[in-house]
Amino acid sequence: MTDDRQTSTARDTGETSADGGSDSKDGNTAYGRKKFKRSRSHFDDRITADGRDGWPVEADRYRLVVSRACPWASRALVSRRLLGLEDALSLGVTDPLQDDRSWRFTLDPGDRDPVLGIRFLHEAYDARETDYPGGVSVPAIVDVPSGKLVTNDFQQLTLDLATEWTELHRPGAPDLYPEALRAEIDEVMDGVYRDVNNGVYRAGFATSQEEYEAAYADVFRRLDLLSERLTNRRYLVGDHITEADIRLFTTLVRFDAVYHGHFKCNRNKLTEDPVLWGYVRDLYQTPGFGDTVDFDHIKRHYYQVHTGINPTQIVPAGPDLSGWLTPHHREELGGTPFGDGTPPGPPPAAEEIPEGSRP
């Protein structure tokens, strides 16, 4: 694939753009060469039912911009599908190979997002804050009328979709953040975020053996705890899918394809842990999860953008994806995916994952 990166504008892109932030200012070649630190979301306005931040929930007003390569953005993709928000919150999908000007809309006709009319996501950031110097990250929600970024707060965004957008949820939408279970969900998600979601990046972008080994130990210590937790229960908290499952899924679905090799998290593959492999297959086969996953975007992004780690940009041919559709037998543990709700319908035709990018 042609490498069409342009001269860097010192804009913080790369995995900052993909994953909520690092402090690198050197573009894609910095990964694995500078100490990794995930920065906080700079734009943390919330879209709420009462509009207290100036952004009320409204159908057709906002556009969710994602990369299917990015695990943090994939949380929003899954939540939007499960809650049935496709008609209320439009979707813009970026090219998995962003350059040093930020995420780009080269998958769309004329290389422009058809709704926002922009070529690069940074244009929405700049519309919000002139000469914004920081990271251009996904997921991002943009106000369509003004073209301004509203939020890139990847931690809060999906919680608000679950709790503030309820008026626009589909009939039968699950409660992904039930009030009675929030304390337990938050506790589980904290460990998952620290040691798994973020831990694989700490390992992959480590610049010293000591730093890498500490992150590696955290990743597998937490995965072992999660495997033990899920041995006799179908879902992380309660008897149906919650936000906690979504956040773990988006890392696990990428584990063997990129984190095991590319990020050196190689004590074992996910397929070698019967519990976690069964758990993630169960979720993948649940409507709203696997139908958002594009393995081609995932692999090309990690192996071709992180040139500081993989300077050859060669994308592995494997792993074999056929196992994702094999029986998991997790239903024998009880529980139902949607509680008292119902599964979402099929994804819109324009959002279907193409053959070759799925099992």
Side-chain angles (χ1 to χ4, degrees):
M1 178 166 294
T2 302
D3 185 351
D4 58 353
R5 292 192 191 88
Q6 305 298 314
T7 301
S8 173
T9 60
R11 186 177 299 279
D12 185 6
T13 57
E15 211 55 37
T16 299
S17 299
D19 296 286
S22 72
D23 289 336
S24 170
K25 301 295 180 183
D26 299 324
N28 302 331
T29 59
Y31 305 119
R33 295 194 173 106
K34 294 186 69 173
K35 184 177 178 63
F36 176 71
K37 179 182 178 183
R38 189 171 304 286
S39 61
R40 297 180 63 182
S41 300
H42 181 72
F43 300 99
D44 58 0
D45 285 4
R46 295 175 61 190
I47 301 171
T48 57
D50 63 7
R52 57 186 176 271
D53 283 356
W55 307 106
V57 171
E58 293 181 20
D60 301 320
R61 175 171 175 176
Y62 305 102
R63 188 158 177 82
L64 173 65
V65 178
V66 303
S67 163
R68 292 193 183 276
C70 168
W72 318 94
S74 292
R75 297 177 180 181
L77 281 169
V78 173
S79 296
R80 176 176 170 271
R81 283 277 294 124
L82 294 178
L83 299 172
L85 290 170
E86 293 97 327
D87 291 336
L89 178 62
S90 68
L91 181 67
V93 179
T94 67
D95 191 315
L97 301 182
Q98 88 273 32
D99 63 30
D100 287 340
R101 293 169 295 180
S102 84
W103 295 103
R104 54 191 187 172
F105 294 99
T106 48
L107 302 181
D108 296 305
D111 295 347
R112 290 185 181 274
D113 180 274
V115 173
L116 300 174
I118 58 178
R119 297 179 62 215
F120 298 93
L121 182 55
H122 79 72
E123 296 173 55
Y125 278 68
D126 291 343
R128 171 70 183 274
E129 183 176 309
T130 304
D131 297 325
Y132 165 65
V136 179
S137 63
V138 289
I141 294 184
V142 179
D143 177 51
V144 174
S146 67
K148 294 180 179 179
L149 175 77
V150 176
T151 180
N152 67 346
D153 189 345
F154 65 99
Q155 295 283 55
Q156 185 63 43
L157 190 155
T158 50
L159 296 179
D160 284 342
L161 291 182
T163 60
E164 298 288 340
W165 290 64
T166 53
E167 184 178 328
L168 298 176
H169 289 180
R170 66 178 175 86
D175 186 353
L176 298 176
Y177 196 45
E179 192 165 359
L181 297 176
R182 287 181 187 177
E184 185 178 0
I185 291 172
D186 289 346
E187 181 181 8
V188 171
M189 291 194 305
D190 179 68
V192 168
Y193 170 77
R194 184 178 59 251
D195 296 334
V196 180
N197 301 149
N198 205 43
V200 292
Y201 286 91
R202 289 170 42 228
F205 293 157
T207 57
S208 71
Q209 190 71 31
E210 181 181 26
E211 183 185 347
Y212 159 71
E213 290 184 6
Y216 174 100
D218 287 341
V219 167
F220 286 101
R221 176 180 58 82
R222 182 64 59 178
L223 288 179
D224 287 344
L225 290 171
L226 292 166
S227 182
E228 181 180 358
R229 182 184 183 92
L230 289 163
T231 298
N232 296 310
R233 58 193 304 166
R234 191 172 180 184
Y235 303 109
L236 284 171
V237 181
D239 295 324
H240 71 272
I241 291 162
T242 67
E243 176 79 10
D245 298 294
I246 296 172
R247 295 191 182 194
L248 180 56
F249 171 80
T250 58
T251 294
L252 295 186
V253 79
R254 289 160 171 78
F255 199 89
D256 287 4
V258 289
Y259 301 144
H260 179 271
H262 184 58
F263 278 178
K264 306 179 185 69
C265 295
N266 60 355
R267 189 195 72 179
N268 57 269
K269 295 179 181 178
L270 194 68
T271 54
E272 295 166 349
D273 183 313
V275 173
L276 291 180
W277 178 225
Y279 167 78
V280 75
R281 291 196 337 271
D282 185 5
L283 293 178
Y284 184 87
Q285 294 171 30
T286 299
F289 282 84
D291 54 33
T292 70
V293 176
D294 189 317
F295 284 104
D296 175 64
H297 278 209
I298 290 168
K299 291 201 301 181
R300 286 196 292 126
H301 171 75
Y302 281 89
Y303 287 101
Q304 293 190 302
V305 169
H306 297 162
T307 55
I309 299 174
N310 186 40
T312 65
Q313 298 181 291
I314 293 172
V315 180
D320 179 10
L321 300 179
S322 60
W324 284 99
L325 301 180
T326 58
H328 52 76
H329 305 297
R330 295 279 296 177
E331 66 278 358
E332 296 172 7
L333 297 175
T336 56
F338 305 103
D340 294 330
T342 58
E351 297 180 16
E352 290 182 357
I353 304 301
E355 291 187 20
S357 297
R358 52 186 168 87

